[in-house]
Amino acid sequence: MSANEPLVVVENVQKHYGEFQALTDVNLSVNAGEVVVIVGPSGSGKSTLCRTINRLETITSGAIRIDGTELPAEGRGLAQLRADVGMVFQSFNLFAHLTILENVTLGPIRVRGMKPADAEREAMELLARVGVDKQSAKLPAQLSGGQQQRVAIARALAMQPKVMLFDEPTSALDPEMITEVLDVMVQLAQQGMTMIVVTHEMGFARKAADRVVFMADGRIIEQATPDEFFLHPQSERAKDFLSKLITH
């Protein structure tokens, strides 16, 4: 990585689904160690943008670079780059037939070529870090949603990613489980993990974000520090979005 290039660079990205344009002229750069929270109304393109950053969605035009390397369209290069980009989804996407420990060790063994004993030791440390090490022998279905999502975070961390993407990581959870997942994410942020988080949890955005990016209609409308964004939004769209949050 050149000293002056941010860790993640999204340049003039367009994304079409047939006639529908999901992303329009999106430009975003994220520095190493920065926590960027993407907010906006439903259908604004937040999740689509998140999913293009590790090529789960292909882009129509533009460029995305991770650590100075442009995202390849497919093949081994893409698998390698995906290993550098951890992803935590709305639905936990754990393998139902594997234990918690096996879910976390699978990637490091298969993709990173780690020895099983080393992968298991690191996995147990990560599971302890997110507070579910006691559950390591269980299957995902035996855990609560909040525990499963914390396992999903540990699984992503096990790949030692350069950046972590979170796509609505708490939206499928019951209210009492949301806090336990957000607490883990706040800790990660405080430990210097580069994070791009799509969320409706404004408390998390205020607490953990270095920068809030507001999207509407497939475009980035404004970006600012949490204080600036929540107290002094610049655009009418953001003011409207925030006024609806505060009144409900």
Side-chain angles (χ1 to χ4, degrees):
M1 180 166 99
S2 62
N4 51 7
E5 167 120 337
L7 184 60
V8 179
V9 177
V10 176
E11 249 173 30
N12 301 324
V13 163
Q14 320 277 346
K15 169 66 180 172
H16 293 269
Y17 295 100
E19 294 291 298
F20 175 66
Q21 184 149 5
L23 296 174
T24 306
D25 299 323
V26 174
N27 289 283
L28 179 68
S29 57
V30 180
N31 293 314
E34 192 177 13
V35 178
V36 172
V37 175
I38 304 175
V39 302
S42 294
S44 57
K46 309 181 297 288
S47 288
T48 304
L49 174 59
C50 192
R51 293 166 70 86
T52 60
I53 293 173
N54 76 342
R55 234 352 175 234
L56 281 173
E57 298 276 1
T58 54
I59 56 177
T60 308
S61 62
I64 298 175
R65 293 190 298 281
I66 309 285
D67 206 359
T69 304
E70 191 160 340
L71 281 185
E74 55 202 27
R76 284 191 76 96
L78 180 60
Q80 187 54 49
L81 204 79
R82 278 222 184 113
D84 288 337
V85 183
M87 181 105 190
V88 178
F89 302 88
Q90 186 172 339
S91 52
F92 323 121
N93 288 17
L94 298 173
F95 292 109
H97 63 291
L98 298 180
T99 67
I100 296 311
L101 183 61
E102 289 166 342
N103 264 284
V104 178
T105 57
L106 186 67
I109 292 169
R110 288 232 181 128
V111 180
R112 296 277 193 217
M114 280 181 82
K115 294 191 174 94
D118 293 338
E120 285 185 15
R121 190 183 67 250
E122 287 198 10
M124 287 305 293
E125 285 173 11
L126 286 168
L127 289 170
R129 191 166 149 192
V130 299
V132 286
D133 49 319
K134 305 271 190 299
Q135 318 293 335
S136 64
K138 292 183 178 173
L139 293 171
Q142 296 172 280
L143 272 60
S144 71
Q147 288 173 324
Q148 289 187 60
Q149 193 60 295
R150 286 185 281 155
V151 172
I153 293 171
R155 179 181 59 178
L157 289 172
M159 296 298 287
Q160 298 169 343
K162 293 173 180 172
V163 56
M164 288 274 285
L165 307 176
F166 294 85
D167 184 14
E168 302 275 13
T170 58
S171 60
L173 298 176
D174 296 332
E176 67 271 17
M177 292 176 192
I178 290 175
T179 311
E180 65 187 56
V181 173
L182 292 177
D183 285 348
V184 170
M185 292 169 62
V186 169
Q187 283 170 4
L188 274 184
Q190 289 166 345
Q191 289 158 358
M193 173 59 75
T194 309
M195 294 164 63
I196 299 172
V197 183
V198 173
T199 186
H200 291 294
E201 299 295 332
M202 296 303 139
F204 174 80
R206 282 175 175 252
K207 190 172 181 179
D210 295 305
R211 181 160 37 119
V212 175
V213 172
F214 175 73
M215 289 186 73
D217 305 321
R219 298 174 185 268
I220 291 178
I221 307 293
E222 62 181 277
Q223 37 187 318
T225 65
D227 280 354
E228 284 170 4
F229 176 73
F230 288 108
L231 298 174
H232 309 290
Q234 299 300 303
S235 63
E236 289 308 313
R237 290 303 303 271
K239 287 173 189 169
D240 180 55
F241 172 74
L242 288 169
S243 71
K244 291 192 172 90
L245 291 179
I246 291 156
T247 51
H248 289 288

